Amino acid sequence: EPEVTQTPSHQVTQMGQEVILRCVPISNHLYFYWYRQILGQKVEFLVSFYNNEISEKSEIFDDQFSVERPDGSNFTLKIRSTKLEDSAMYFCASSVGGTANQPQHFGDGTRLSIL
Amino acid sequence: GQQLNQSPQSMFIQEGEDVSMNCTSSSIFNTWLWYKQDPGEGPVLLIALYKAGELTSNGRLTAQFGITRKDSFLNISASIPSDVGIYFCAGPKNRDDKIIFGKGTRLHILP
């Protein structure tokens, strides 16, 4: 069964450094998402992306965050200047359609640790 | 903002027992999703519900979309060790793409 893949599985970065998290969504999916989950807490929406632009973002997704689909297969999340509180699991998801009738499929996440 | 409240927060049950957990909201949801998360992995969709009153099964799992559209429950029958994990209810905020997750119900199975 097709799946969303994320790399790396674990990223350790010094505070203030830039980090790029990578995702390969399911190939026929058109809508892409990033979520984060701080340890022991719930999954929180960050951003949705469709047709090469952001369709919605949360208050968490400030100017330090950006997303890009640099080619036909990858979807990336960049954090420009990482903070300690950015430490979390980051999940990429994709769906065929953008409405609630098209459930999102999640990758296994990247654990980001900021030192 | 909209929030999803899940209960119980955690459960300790014996293998073979049935499990019931629920999710409520102060506002109406048009879709209810139930996900399971195993340690170190991403959420996996278990059941999606699209109509008020809908009752849907997936193997030993059954979920219902409440008539009021403000709640949903998930039942697991005859639990087995691999059912251990965190179960999240989730739903889209209104008609747009954002999915809101509950805080999860952590299921533990005693040997």
Side-chain angles (χ1 to χ4, degrees):
Chain A
E1 184 175 326
E3 55 183 28
V4 176
T5 56
Q6 292 186 240
T7 55
S9 56
H10 191 188
Q11 174 79 45
V12 182
T13 301
Q14 292 282 342
M15 186 172 63
Q17 295 295 308
E18 175 182 285
V19 65
I20 297 176
L21 310 182
R22 302 181 192 281
C23 170
V24 179
I26 295 172
S27 62
N28 66 330
H29 286 189
L30 301 176
Y31 292 77
F32 314 114
Y33 312 85
W34 283 100
Y35 292 82
R36 102 178 163 187
Q37 185 180 32
I38 294 171
L39 184 64
Q41 299 188 24
K42 66 179 179 181
V43 178
E44 299 174 290
F45 170 82
L46 291 178
V47 66
S48 57
F49 190 89
Y50 169 70
N51 199 26
N52 280 322
E53 60 183 26
I54 290 173
S55 48
E56 190 181 2
K57 58 184 180 180
S58 72
E59 58 275 6
I60 302 169
F61 193 89
D62 61 22
D63 291 343
Q64 294 299 312
F65 291 86
S66 62
V67 290
E68 192 178 27
R69 187 149 163 85
D71 53 45
S73 60
N74 289 284
F75 180 51
T76 62
L77 174 70
K78 183 195 290 187
I79 309 175
R80 261 179 273 283
S81 178
T82 49
K83 304 186 286 285
L84 292 175
E85 53 265 37
D86 293 328
S87 294
M89 285 290 289
Y90 287 81
F91 292 105
C92 173
S94 69
S95 62
V96 172
T99 69
N101 289 338
Q102 301 292 339
Q104 297 169 20
H105 297 264
F106 285 74
D108 282 342
T110 293
R111 180 176 298 281
L112 178 63
S113 300
I114 306 299
L115 305 178
Chain B
Q2 288 179 315
Q3 289 203 11
L4 295 176
N5 301 305
Q6 287 190 248
S7 63
Q9 199 170 0
S10 64
M11 306 179 72
F12 291 82
I13 62 166
Q14 296 282 345
E15 182 178 347
E17 284 186 26
D18 295 342
V19 172
S20 185
M21 60 188 78
N22 77 313
C23 186
T24 60
S25 170
S26 58
S27 53
I28 288 171
F29 276 72
N30 293 312
T31 297
W32 288 92
L33 307 168
W34 284 94
Y35 284 88
K36 179 183 181 231
Q37 186 177 28
D38 290 328
E41 297 184 17
V44 174
L45 182 67
L46 299 174
I47 293 178
L49 301 161
Y50 301 115
K51 283 193 221 174
E54 180 181 353
L55 184 73
T56 297
S57 293
N58 178 7
R60 292 178 296 106
L61 277 61
T62 302
Q64 183 156 32
F65 192 142
I67 291 288
T68 65
R69 297 200 284 162
K70 293 183 179 181
D71 63 343
S72 175
F73 71 74
L74 175 70
N75 287 345
I76 306 172
S77 62
S79 57
I80 60 177
S82 61
D83 291 334
V84 166
I86 304 175
Y87 292 80
F88 291 100
C89 65
K93 179 186 172 190
N94 300 321
R95 295 175 62 84
D96 58 33
D97 300 335
K98 176 178 176 176
I99 298 286
I100 299 169
F101 281 77
K103 292 186 178 179
T105 291
R106 188 180 291 272
L107 180 62
H108 305 266
I109 296 182
L110 305 170

